[in-house]
Amino acid sequence: MIRFLQNKTVSREQTGGTWLELFFDLVYVAILVELGNRLSHDLTLSGTLQFVALFVPIWWSWLALVFYTRYFPSDDIGQRLLTVLYMGAMILLAFEIHGVTGETVTDFILSYAATKFIIALMYARAWAQFPEYRSLTSHYAALYFLIGLMWITIAVIAPSNYWLWGLAVAADVFAPLFIIWSRRVRNKPQPNQPPLKHHYMLHRFGELTIIVLGEFFIKLITSSSGLELQPFNFYLGACLLLISVSLWWLYFDHTDHVHLAREQTRQAVWVYMHYFLLSAITAYGVVGTKIFAALPGDILSQEKRMLFGIALAIAVLSLGIIDWASPEDDGRLSRRPHLNIRIFAALVLLLLALFGGQITVGWLVTLVASVLVVQVGIDIWLRTRKKAVGETAVDAYLAEQQE
């Protein structure tokens, strides 16, 4: 019992996150819902840029916890309590998103600073629990504590100075590089690191991605409550479903064949491209709910059309780069990454966003859905072609052995 209270490690190479981490993901998506609601009330270029900027620290707060648990998969009571505190700070942050550029900005910053102190405590506990990694945990505990102080200082002296926000976020993002650089300058060996849990990383990012995709339909159903729907609306809903399922297919069908430990894997690119993917899916969900309520013959406003097309173009391009950054394991169902196909699809979506001003909403959504479905069709063809080639090679080998 005492050992459980102090430290309980779990194997993360063959499993996903804990149930509490999945709970945390659901709370985190609630924050993204609020951020999407903020964008929904302001689809202008200014509102979109604020959405993109706010998505950075919010997404990084999720990533900071994943980065910690990929190294130190503790599931003791202390870690659970700290995770719950982290969730509480993020919930407080969600309440302040609507007015973060106005009267509630100080409360937003203080809530965000609290998450940095909690992460620092997690690394401090890891310092005590894992003596062999103290050179790593001591650096991160100190850095997150200092970053928390930076945010508190900003809240006190200049809460609306977004240049200072950028400086604090940059300090957070580049903290690992700072550790490497500081030790290299002092001619010290790099900190000893625990083995990376690659399967765990795939699960954690996959869990968040599928929850963000599913969140769109929750918003779609709740926002359409009370509306007098026509058959045309159900057709638009079917097209939006095809778009969402295509995004799901392109991401998870690739993930099923990936192992992040391969030498050719560009792990940093794979990780950070999820920011663009998740922010694009969230923005697509915001405008998708508005498209669903359109009437036959309607033409989308420039703001809606641009956000719809550009968000999906970014999502498709992000999927292509994620695919390129994480080559698939060899096998009959594997395939080579085809980034050029994704780039072409993203360009088509971008052209529809820029020059589709005279296309009715029905035709526009049909064309966009067709672009995504064609991408899935190409993937299926590439996999079945590889499988057929593999089976032919096996048959030829068996025939040769029989001779």
Side-chain angles (χ1 to χ4, degrees):
M1 180 66 178
I2 298 297
R3 183 174 299 176
F4 173 79
L5 291 171
Q6 292 178 342
N7 181 30
K8 178 187 176 184
T9 59
V10 294
S11 174
R12 297 285 178 79
E13 191 59 38
Q14 300 300 324
T15 63
T18 64
W19 294 114
L20 182 58
E21 288 169 345
L22 181 58
F23 189 16
F24 171 77
D25 287 348
L26 293 172
V27 171
Y28 180 81
V29 170
I31 300 169
L32 296 186
V33 170
E34 287 302 308
L35 188 59
N37 290 339
R38 176 191 172 92
L39 175 62
S40 179
H41 291 97
D42 186 5
L43 297 179
T44 63
L45 178 60
S46 173
T48 303
L49 291 177
Q50 288 180 17
F51 166 82
V52 170
L54 286 172
F55 206 99
V56 174
I58 291 174
W59 180 74
W60 197 260
S61 66
W62 178 85
L63 197 60
L65 185 60
V66 173
F67 278 177
Y68 172 81
T69 52
R70 71 174 177 173
Y71 281 135
F72 306 108
S74 299
D75 191 30
D76 58 17
I77 291 179
Q79 178 62 25
R80 291 180 181 183
L81 292 175
L82 287 175
T83 302
V84 171
L85 285 176
Y86 200 96
M87 291 165 57
M90 294 303 296
I91 291 172
L92 290 176
L93 184 147
F95 284 121
E96 316 301 339
I97 285 177
H98 284 293
V100 71
T101 53
E103 66 278 2
T104 64
V105 62
T106 301
D107 295 335
F108 179 91
I109 295 175
L110 291 176
S111 299
Y112 192 70
T115 65
K116 303 306 169 187
F117 291 125
I118 295 169
I119 286 287
L121 282 174
M122 290 182 184
Y123 277 105
R125 293 185 76 245
W127 182 89
Q129 294 175 348
F130 305 97
E132 64 273 29
Y133 302 121
R134 283 182 175 175
S135 60
L136 177 73
T137 54
S138 60
H139 279 81
Y140 275 104
L143 276 174
Y144 275 112
F145 181 79
L146 291 175
I147 292 169
L149 289 180
M150 286 181 64
W151 282 105
I152 288 181
T153 303
I154 293 172
V156 172
I157 64 173
S160 297
N161 189 321
Y162 301 111
W163 290 105
L164 291 178
W165 281 45
L167 180 63
V169 171
D172 200 350
V173 171
F174 294 106
L177 294 179
F178 176 78
I179 293 174
I180 295 173
W181 173 81
S182 64
R183 295 185 70 86
R184 186 174 298 166
V185 168
R186 293 177 292 164
N187 293 321
K188 291 190 174 183
Q190 295 303 321
N192 187 27
Q193 296 183 351
L196 281 175
K197 282 71 176 176
H198 300 289
H199 199 267
Y200 169 73
M201 292 287 287
L202 284 170
H203 268 269
R204 294 292 285 123
F205 279 85
E207 287 167 358
L208 183 63
T209 301
I210 200 168
I211 292 173
V212 171
L213 277 168
E215 176 264 332
F216 162 54
F217 290 100
I218 297 175
K219 291 181 65 174
L220 186 67
I221 294 171
T222 56
S223 64
S224 61
S225 177
L227 294 178
E228 187 175 343
L229 300 177
Q230 303 179 19
F232 179 70
N233 298 115
F234 290 104
Y235 172 76
L236 292 178
C239 289
L240 292 170
L241 176 61
L242 283 175
I243 293 171
S244 299
V245 170
S246 297
L247 293 173
W248 169 85
W249 190 295
L250 295 174
Y251 182 87
F252 287 98
D253 191 50
H254 169 67
T255 301
D256 282 344
H257 302 271
V258 164
H259 196 291
L260 292 181
R262 292 190 62 175
E263 291 183 1
Q264 303 95 325
T265 302
R266 303 160 181 88
Q267 291 188 28
V269 175
W270 184 87
V271 167
Y272 297 126
M273 283 310 301
H274 280 79
Y275 161 78
F276 298 97
L277 175 64
L278 295 173
S279 59
I281 291 175
T282 304
Y284 150 70
V286 168
V287 72
T289 58
K290 296 180 180 296
I291 289 174
F292 178 70
L295 298 175
D298 281 355
I299 294 179
L300 291 180
S301 66
Q302 183 179 8
E303 294 170 348
K304 293 178 183 177
R305 187 187 74 250
M306 293 288 285
L307 184 59
F308 183 57
I310 293 176
L312 286 174
I314 293 173
V316 169
L317 183 59
S318 300
L319 287 168
I321 297 175
I322 289 171
D323 191 346
W324 167 80
S326 51
E328 298 184 4
D329 291 331
D330 294 331
R332 288 189 303 167
L333 286 178
S334 66
R335 59 165 176 76
R336 293 186 298 107
H338 289 276
L339 181 57
N340 55 335
I341 296 176
R342 301 287 184 262
I343 292 174
F344 180 77
L347 286 175
V348 173
L349 293 170
L350 185 60
L351 289 174
L352 288 173
L354 293 174
F355 304 108
Q358 299 305 313
I359 303 176
T360 61
V361 63
W363 277 109
L364 181 64
V365 175
T366 300
L367 290 171
V368 170
S370 299
V371 172
L372 271 296
V373 171
V374 166
Q375 296 290 296
V376 173
I378 292 173
D379 265 27
I380 293 173
W381 178 75
L382 290 173
R383 292 203 186 281
T384 54
R385 181 169 174 265
K386 180 70 177 289
K387 181 180 180 181
V389 171
E391 289 176 345
T392 301
V394 171
D395 292 340
Y397 174 77
L398 292 175
E400 182 181 345
Q401 294 299 313
Q402 290 175 355
E403 292 177 0

